[in-house]
Amino acid sequence: MSARTLPLLFLNLGGEMLYILDQRLRAQSIPGEKARKVMNDIITTMFNKKFMEELFKPQELYSKKALRTVYDRLAHASIMRLNQASMDKLYDLMTMAFKYQVLLCPRPKDILLVTFNHLDAIKDFVRDSPNILNQVDETFRQLIDMYSCLSAGEFQLIRQTLLIFFQDMHIRVSIFLKDKVQNSNGRFVLPISGPVPWGTEVPGLIRMFNCNGDEVKRVEFTNGGNYISPQREGSFDLYGDRVLKLGTNMYSVSRPVETHMSGASKSLASHTKENAAPNPLAKEELNFLARLMGGLEIKKPNGSEPGFRLNLFTTDEDEEYASLTRPDELSYKVINIQATQDQQQNEELARIMGEFEVTDQPRQSTSKGDDLLAMMDEL
Amino acid sequence: MYRKARSVPLKSSSSALYNNLSVLPLRDKPLTYFAAVHGSTVSLASAAADGLSVSHRQLQAKEGGPAVSASIVTQASWCVLPSRVLLVLTSQKGIQMYESDGSIMVYWHALDVLEPPPAQAVFARGIAAASGRFICVGTSSGLVLVFDVPSKGTNITLSEVLEEHHDSITDITSEVGENPNGAADLLTADDSGALCVWRAKEEFSLLTKISAFGWTCSSVKLWNGVIAAGYGNGQIRLYEATSGALRATVSAHARWIYALDLAPLTGKLLSGAEDSYVQIWKLSRNPDTGDIEIEHCHSECVTDTQLCGARFCDPEGNSFAATGYDLSEIVRYGQV
């Protein structure tokens, strides 16, 4: 559908990832200097100029799996490492948080305010590094250039494209359950009270006109909800009050990152479907990944900067348990790319794929992985 | 008063798309067909009146040319012509027409797919039967394609292209009233909120144009010369079809309206929106002044559901059905 969706999807999911990593770095008492380096490295990589150029080209969305691969790489752009269970949990949290924001944003256009909330927070993470700050501001301007001229209808198409991307994901997130914005079946709670979107009237009034256009009758009715008028519109400028709270950082020391991993049975079924379906698009997806990730630089830990492992769970035992008990259907089965032969045939691709080794140990190739390998051999 | 009846389960959940429910009550059997879109598939269900004994069928979007990702279906709707009933699917790749039960595809019209993909999305959307032998389908570039459909067989031809809209077509409808006063036969709506009213004779001619006011018009209906239009700001507007004159504004919903429907025999109007409400209204004409009047009849909240489709299930409007984003069932209500 809308070919303008990918930048918003990528930046907002990336923003959620940074919120979670920031919170876990604190919770795991990673020294300040080290934590700052990790955040700076990831943000630098995320807003890489070449990468952003690829991202902003009009294109369709790709599968959840392909996108997950990009974040896998992004999360490992510094000296920090995440194992499979923590990475799964990180991606679940990111996607459910952004799904909630897309679903709840009052007008389709407000997805832009959600994005600006994420970028404002990212700028705060790198406030002491003017170079990175400039990089983020550059993307900010690109967003304003591309999106400020779009109509309400085009924003609705973007929103509908995102909702199709997130459809059938019902993973329960404890912070949402505690706040009572998610039901135990994984569906989000939709309020029927509070302010209506900017530009919308509070429901309840009928006005009738005669053939001359004069108002001849006014009737009120009860619509069932309990709405009020909105206060003001958020700012769509580089700086300003966004008014909307969706997309701001919901985690804090007193509100830690947690997930319930018991996906509803429905979500299990849909995941199974996605994994089982033969995917004729693998080649196109591979090209997408290669193009996109050509711009992502990965830093390998070296002697002077010892790496460390981040855990998305409270203890190592919890993490271990999660990796053992995660239903197979829920596994994203990250595309495990290993250029097996003839690396020189396509140097660029081979270089990218060669660098792309984020899994701790080689896992059994999925059928999808086999397809990718076969295709790469053909290159 | 309406009361909740047994839901019809779907094989997959419904996508957030305008007018994402089509209902076809069968004439010769006590069965009703339902169709709702899920990504690149369409879920069909046929259900008996009691909601028991449901049977299912899934249709896939046809892929035209080298696909970069699965083509998303934008709408599925039955078109009832006097001679035959066809099920029409619109997608990013083109237009598919099936026999009413979805068993056989009788026609395929491909949209031009550009390489590299343009910034503007390409798709077809908006489906309606008109004037006895035509099926009209809208496109993202604002065209309305008119197909001439023979009473049987597959010799469907593109007979005319209507070029009046500058934005993506959102919905198309034709006159459903018993006593249409005026010459309006077809109504088309677009993303900017502009409406075009057409008269169908040998060719379609533009009767009047109703200009946009900043909000998308997502769903339209035409009943006895009255236009009902639902907008992104939650408003319903009623217009005189022949003149385009505004006759009523209704602050109906707190969020984007996704579907309108009209019961032709009673003038009942139904609206469904992202605010999780279905509202039922009644349209009439004041016998003394000729003014169009509208009154509110009923509110129904489908809890925690952003509605994407809503339809009456009978010509009197005694029952209705609705679909919602991420919801794998069709909720139904009947009058008590």
Side-chain angles (χ1 to χ4, degrees):
Chain A
M1 298 253 282
S2 173
R4 294 286 191 210
T5 314
L6 187 62
L8 299 182
L9 179 63
F10 176 79
L11 291 170
N12 285 293
L13 285 178
E16 285 301 317
M17 179 172 89
L18 291 167
Y19 291 162
I20 297 161
L21 293 180
D22 173 65
Q23 205 268 329
R24 287 310 297 167
L25 287 166
R26 287 167 206 274
Q28 224 173 289
S29 305
I30 303 297
E33 200 52 42
K34 217 172 195 174
R36 199 166 311 124
K37 177 176 170 43
V38 168
M39 295 296 281
N40 285 357
D41 283 349
I42 293 178
I43 295 168
T44 306
T45 309
M46 193 174 152
F47 291 91
N48 175 295
K49 195 162 183 284
K50 194 173 153 217
F51 179 66
M52 281 296 137
E53 274 172 20
E54 283 299 330
L55 194 74
F56 274 85
K57 286 179 184 166
Q59 55 195 305
E60 294 286 328
L61 289 189
Y62 295 81
S63 67
K64 294 184 188 72
K65 215 182 295 173
L67 203 66
R68 154 80 200 254
T69 309
V70 178
Y71 288 102
D72 234 315
R73 185 177 174 89
L74 193 57
H76 292 86
S78 187
I79 54 172
M80 176 189 76
R81 291 294 171 263
L82 293 159
N83 76 6
Q84 188 64 31
S86 281
M87 193 65 218
D88 283 342
K89 180 164 170 175
L90 175 62
Y91 195 61
D92 287 344
L93 286 168
M94 289 155 54
T95 47
M96 288 309 283
F98 188 42
K99 178 178 183 177
Y100 177 71
Q101 293 154 10
V102 174
L103 195 71
L104 270 280
C105 76
R107 295 172 305 175
K109 190 187 179 186
D110 293 327
I111 291 171
L112 210 48
L113 291 180
V114 172
T115 313
F116 290 173
N117 272 334
H118 280 121
L119 290 191
D120 288 345
I122 291 169
K123 281 167 70 174
D124 193 51
F125 284 138
V126 294
R127 61 185 175 276
D128 298 329
S129 313
N131 287 341
I132 312 178
L133 208 52
N134 278 339
Q135 254 182 288
V136 181
D137 270 339
E138 187 55 40
T139 300
F140 220 126
R141 288 192 195 93
Q142 259 178 293
L143 278 173
I144 293 172
D145 277 355
M146 179 182 283
Y147 292 99
S148 59
C149 58
L150 297 192
S151 68
E154 284 169 298
F155 272 111
Q156 182 64 284
L157 194 68
I158 289 173
R159 182 170 174 275
Q160 291 172 343
T161 308
L162 287 169
L163 288 175
I164 288 172
F165 183 83
F166 290 123
Q167 200 167 340
D168 300 324
M169 295 185 77
H170 300 284
I171 296 158
R172 295 186 297 164
V173 176
S174 66
I175 199 166
F176 287 142
L177 293 167
K178 272 184 200 153
D179 287 353
K180 301 217 167 14
V181 299
Q182 191 180 26
N183 294 313
S184 57
N185 61 5
R187 293 182 64 83
F188 290 116
V189 173
L190 300 182
I192 50 168
S193 60
V196 296
W198 185 256
T200 296
E201 288 163 13
V202 173
L205 182 65
I206 301 173
R207 300 164 67 202
M208 285 170 259
F209 309 92
N210 65 13
C211 51
N212 302 320
D214 305 320
E215 187 177 316
V216 290
K217 204 171 175 184
R218 223 171 233 248
V219 184
E220 291 187 11
F221 69 93
T222 317
N223 80 310
N226 185 22
Y227 300 100
I228 55 169
S229 295
Q231 286 176 320
R232 60 207 151 91
E233 191 181 26
S235 164
F236 287 88
D237 297 328
L238 190 52
Y239 305 96
D241 181 1
R242 314 296 174 199
V243 180
L244 192 69
K245 292 289 169 253
L246 292 171
T248 57
N249 197 342
M250 62 177 172
Y251 306 102
S252 65
V253 180
S254 57
R255 290 161 57 85
V257 174
E258 276 178 55
T259 39
H260 287 278
M261 271 320 306
S262 47
S265 55
K266 217 180 276 176
S267 83
L268 284 178
S270 69
H271 274 276
T272 316
K273 220 180 287 168
E274 183 170 341
N275 282 340
N279 191 348
L281 316 168
K283 179 160 191 171
E284 195 55 40
E285 244 168 44
L286 183 68
N287 291 339
F288 154 75
L289 290 175
R291 267 203 320 276
L292 205 53
M293 300 204 297
L296 290 183
E297 294 294 324
I298 263 200
K299 286 222 174 79
K300 293 204 169 75
N302 58 33
S304 62
E305 292 174 313
F308 66 93
R309 200 172 62 80
L310 193 76
N311 188 347
L312 264 281
F313 298 82
T314 320
T315 64
D316 285 355
E317 288 73 31
D318 289 349
E319 186 181 50
E320 175 72 19
Y321 180 74
S323 73
L324 292 174
T325 54
R326 188 179 176 89
D328 230 22
E329 300 82 19
L330 264 181
S331 169
Y332 292 102
K333 293 195 177 115
V334 177
I335 304 168
N336 191 12
I337 301 163
Q338 292 168 315
T340 46
Q341 44 175 280
D342 296 332
Q343 291 216 349
Q344 276 70 38
Q345 284 190 4
N346 186 328
E347 277 183 23
E348 174 65 7
L349 190 60
R351 186 184 67 78
I352 294 159
M353 296 313 166
E355 282 177 8
F356 183 65
E357 283 169 18
V358 296
T359 45
D360 288 344
Q361 66 258 358
R363 285 167 298 121
Q364 286 193 325
S365 293
T366 61
S367 59
K368 169 106 178 187
D370 290 331
D371 291 347
L372 286 167
L373 285 178
M375 278 180 196
M376 287 181 61
D377 289 341
E378 287 164 16
L379 286 171
Chain B
M1 264 303 285
Y2 291 84
R3 189 189 287 163
K4 197 166 185 315
R6 188 187 293 269
S7 295
V8 176
L10 286 173
K11 284 288 180 208
S12 49
S13 63
S14 303
S15 294
L17 299 164
Y18 306 141
N19 307 300
N20 190 6
L21 174 65
S22 188
V23 176
L24 179 73
L26 293 189
R27 283 176 197 154
D28 46 348
K29 290 181 222 162
L31 277 182
T32 306
Y33 280 173
F34 300 92
V37 176
H38 171 275
S40 57
T41 62
V42 177
S43 307
L44 301 184
S46 70
D50 56 5
L52 295 167
S53 65
V54 181
S55 62
H56 299 276
R57 189 192 285 268
Q58 302 274 110
L59 297 180
Q60 284 288 336
K62 187 173 153 68
E63 298 296 343
V68 290
S69 56
S71 173
I72 287 171
V73 179
T74 51
Q75 198 184 350
S77 181
W78 278 284
C79 290
V80 180
L81 297 166
S83 57
R84 68 198 291 193
V85 180
L86 293 179
L87 173 63
V88 180
L89 269 55
T90 52
S91 74
Q92 291 178 291
K93 297 292 190 290
I95 301 155
Q96 288 158 256
M97 297 189 192
Y98 289 84
E99 295 294 354
S100 63
D101 61 356
S103 57
I104 302 163
M105 186 158 79
V106 293
Y107 185 69
W108 158 246
H109 177 91
L111 294 177
D112 294 331
V113 178
L114 302 171
E115 214 43 68
Q120 203 69 39
V122 175
F123 55 84
R125 182 175 62 190
I127 303 164
S131 307
R133 61 188 178 104
F134 298 109
I135 287 178
C136 303
V137 179
T139 72
S140 53
S141 53
L143 303 178
V144 176
L145 311 180
V146 180
F147 295 96
D148 196 335
V149 181
S151 56
K152 58 184 176 188
T154 59
N155 189 25
I156 295 168
T157 52
L158 177 64
S159 63
E160 207 177 340
V161 177
L162 311 180
E163 302 180 42
E164 279 294 335
H165 288 279
H166 304 294
D167 293 87
S168 303
I169 301 295
T170 48
D171 194 22
I172 302 182
T173 193
S174 53
E175 174 65 62
V176 296
E178 299 274 285
N179 313 298
N181 57 345
D185 295 305
L186 186 75
L187 173 61
T188 52
D190 74 27
D191 236 354
S192 74
L195 308 180
C196 288
V197 187
W198 308 85
R199 153 185 274 171
K201 281 192 172 167
E202 279 311 297
E203 289 191 323
F204 283 81
S205 58
L206 184 72
L207 209 58
T208 182
K209 205 165 180 175
I210 298 165
S211 53
F213 66 100
W215 288 93
T216 297
C217 177
S218 48
S219 194
V220 280
K221 282 287 170 270
L222 183 56
W223 176 74
N224 291 337
V226 180
I227 291 172
Y231 294 91
N233 64 348
Q235 211 176 54
I236 297 172
R237 292 185 166 204
L238 304 180
Y239 302 91
E240 205 76 65
T242 39
S243 64
L246 178 67
R247 301 305 299 268
T249 62
V250 183
S251 305
H253 290 274
R255 290 183 60 162
W256 204 288
I257 293 175
Y258 262 57
L260 293 185
D261 198 18
L262 237 154
L265 298 186
T266 54
K268 276 190 195 168
L269 175 71
L270 163 163
S271 57
E274 282 182 348
D275 65 0
S276 74
Y277 278 97
V278 174
Q279 305 284 2
I280 308 282
W281 319 84
K282 191 161 186 323
L283 306 188
S284 57
R285 254 185 212 278
N286 185 310
D288 302 328
T289 60
D291 285 349
I292 298 166
E293 301 193 330
I294 175 168
E295 60 173 317
H296 181 252
C297 304
H298 183 77
S299 269
E300 196 69 56
C301 180
V302 185
T303 306
D304 297 337
T305 305
Q306 293 195 351
L307 298 172
C308 53
R311 294 273 172 208
F312 285 120
C313 299
D314 61 278
E316 292 84 19
N318 291 329
S319 55
F320 65 90
T323 54
Y325 169 67
D326 243 355
L327 195 68
S328 302
E329 60 182 319
I330 296 171
V331 290
R332 297 202 298 175
Y333 296 83
Q335 201 148 26
V336 287

